[in-house]
Amino acid sequence: MRKIFALVCVAIALCTYTSCKSKNNDPKPGIETPAKSQLGTASTTDYIITLYADTPLLFTGYNRLYVKVQDATGAVSSTANVSIHPLMEMSTMSHSTPYEQVSYDAATGLYSGAAVFIMPTADDDAWKMEVTVNGQKVAIPVTVGTFPTKVISISMGSDNTTYIVSLLRPATWKVGMNDVEFTVHKITDMMNFPALDNLTIEMTPEMPSMGHGSPNNISPVSTGKGHYKGKVNYTMTGDWRLHLKVSDASGTVLLQDAFIDILF
């Protein structure tokens, strides 16, 4: 089992950089707007369950997800016990991915959560979102494409643990100071990807094509539940690389040079 798990980790890392024979070989990133995009719907004996996202397509990396629950009459429920579980069915095995459990958001009338997809949909492998409402489960198929730039970093740490660093994509970037946010998870097995808090992240922006960085950046700090927030200063449009040095609470460097690529 340990050998199989190691091979899966290698495959996940490779699929992050390639389409992995994705059905969406060159997906175009959607523009995130307040209007949610419906990904699919399914029904149980008592409920109609609809899955939404910020964009029409899901991508490798961090994706916000939303669930609407309606009873048989179509009335929207705000008191149901709702949970999600992303699952990829492969030809020889199944695995999950890091995700954030949903909770009800009164502002939208939806149950809000997220998933960090670690590989795209492939010809023989398919993602689905299992949604359970008051004990009644449905499975909604979803398609995951490869984002045009590297918004997720999957790499082996100095402690031989595989870490997943993912950028939360904003609707737009701008020249000047921008809020920036990441999540950090580790792989313990093929179904468990715990979020990590209390790490130290040193962020160094670089513009590779121009050979310079930028001043006045604020490295991300832990805000809980595996999230880290900081600020990045883009002095011009173009290609940017955010170098991330990640250390644990004792100061041991876990990742020397994880990185995320930005283009705007």
Side-chain angles (χ1 to χ4, degrees):
M1 177 59 71
R2 182 173 294 180
K3 183 176 181 180
I4 293 173
F5 176 59
L7 291 173
V8 170
C9 289
V10 171
I12 288 170
L14 288 174
C15 284
T16 302
Y17 296 102
T18 68
S19 66
C20 202
K21 296 183 178 180
S22 170
K23 295 176 182 177
N24 297 288
N25 290 327
D26 187 23
K28 302 301 182 184
I31 299 299
E32 298 174 17
T33 68
K36 310 304 179 191
S37 297
Q38 182 174 321
L39 301 179
T41 188
S43 298
T44 69
T45 303
D46 301 314
Y47 302 102
I48 303 167
I49 301 166
T50 308
L51 182 66
Y52 296 89
D54 287 324
T55 57
L57 290 176
L58 300 174
F59 295 94
T60 47
Y62 189 96
N63 297 259
R64 300 172 185 87
L65 298 171
Y66 311 89
V67 176
K68 181 167 70 174
V69 176
Q70 297 168 279
D71 64 21
T73 69
V76 177
S77 173
S78 62
T79 59
N81 184 6
V82 183
S83 64
I84 62 171
H85 181 228
L87 192 67
M88 172 170 260
E89 298 284 2
M90 306 180 77
S91 57
T92 58
M93 59 169 290
S94 300
H95 69 80
S96 188
T97 198
Y99 65 99
E100 298 171 355
Q101 198 52 262
V102 295
S103 60
Y104 185 72
D105 177 11
T108 62
L110 303 172
Y111 294 82
S112 177
V116 180
F117 291 104
I118 51 180
M119 60 192 302
T121 300
D123 290 340
D124 299 321
D125 309 318
W127 283 102
K128 64 181 179 180
M129 187 64 61
E130 295 180 339
V131 184
T132 303
V133 178
N134 291 340
Q136 300 179 33
K137 182 188 292 185
V138 298
I140 299 176
V142 295
T143 300
V144 178
T146 303
F147 199 73
T149 60
K150 186 173 180 286
V151 293
I152 182 171
S153 172
I154 303 175
S155 52
M156 186 71 71
S158 61
D159 58 353
N160 294 318
T161 297
T162 301
Y163 292 92
I164 301 167
V165 182
S166 185
L167 172 73
L168 274 66
R169 304 192 311 272
T172 56
W173 296 106
K174 67 179 185 294
V175 174
M177 197 66 74
N178 293 259
D179 293 329
V180 64
E181 185 173 357
F182 303 92
T183 57
V184 183
H185 298 80
K186 69 177 181 180
I187 301 178
T188 57
D189 59 49
M190 291 174 286
M191 290 294 174
N192 293 286
F193 305 78
L196 302 177
D197 293 326
N198 302 318
L199 300 175
T200 298
I201 300 179
E202 298 177 39
M203 180 181 68
T204 306
E206 176 198 11
M207 196 169 197
S209 65
M210 303 295 288
H212 65 73
S214 64
N216 304 321
N217 299 281
I218 300 174
S219 288
V221 297
S222 176
T223 59
K225 299 183 178 180
H227 284 246
Y228 294 78
K229 293 183 179 181
K231 291 185 179 292
V232 60
N233 181 22
Y234 297 127
T235 55
M236 60 188 298
T237 60
D239 60 311
W240 286 91
R241 174 163 291 182
L242 305 181
H243 296 276
L244 304 170
K245 178 180 176 182
V246 181
S247 305
D248 65 15
S250 70
T252 300
V253 177
L254 302 174
L255 301 175
Q256 182 64 44
D257 191 17
F259 65 89
I260 297 296
D261 284 335
I262 306 295
L263 179 64
F264 76 102

